[in-house]
């Protein structure tokens, strides 16, 4: 079977933890930040886990990170 190509966009956006979970960056942190509260922007800094419903599709995009 031939080698699989890694989706470079997905490889830059997702990181895999030691236990195999996929981490992602939170949305709404790029612009229009003046209208958002300090508490909201502070909470947007923290990375989040990818939902289990799209876990399989992302795993196929980054096959060699597991």
């Amino acid at each position: 079977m031939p080698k699989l190509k890694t989706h470079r966009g997905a490889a830059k956006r997702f990181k895999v933890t030691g236990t195999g979970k996929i981490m992602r960056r939170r949305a709404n942190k790029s612009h229009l930040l003046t209208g958002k509260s300090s508490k909201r922007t502070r909470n947007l800094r923290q990375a989040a886990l990818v939902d289990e419903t799209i876990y399989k599709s992302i795993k196929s995009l980054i096959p060699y990170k597991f």
Side-chain angles (χ1 to χ4, degrees):
M1 187 158 169
K3 290 187 206 176
L4 299 170
K5 288 206 173 188
T6 299
H7 189 285
R8 297 313 297 163
K12 293 168 189 174
R13 286 171 173 82
F14 300 106
K15 300 283 178 258
V16 179
T17 63
T19 56
K21 295 174 184 169
I22 305 172
M23 299 296 289
R24 65 168 174 87
R25 185 173 170 251
R26 289 189 189 269
N28 303 315
K29 185 68 171 61
S30 57
H31 61 98
L32 298 174
L33 296 170
T34 52
K36 294 165 189 161
S37 67
S38 301
K39 181 180 180 180
R40 185 173 168 189
T41 54
R42 200 165 50 242
N43 289 333
L44 289 172
R45 286 181 205 147
Q46 300 161 359
L49 288 172
V50 165
D51 194 63
E52 291 176 10
T53 54
I54 57 167
Y55 180 86
K56 188 178 177 183
S57 59
I58 293 173
K59 193 173 178 180
S60 67
L61 294 174
I62 47 174
Y64 298 109
K65 290 213 173 192
F66 292 91

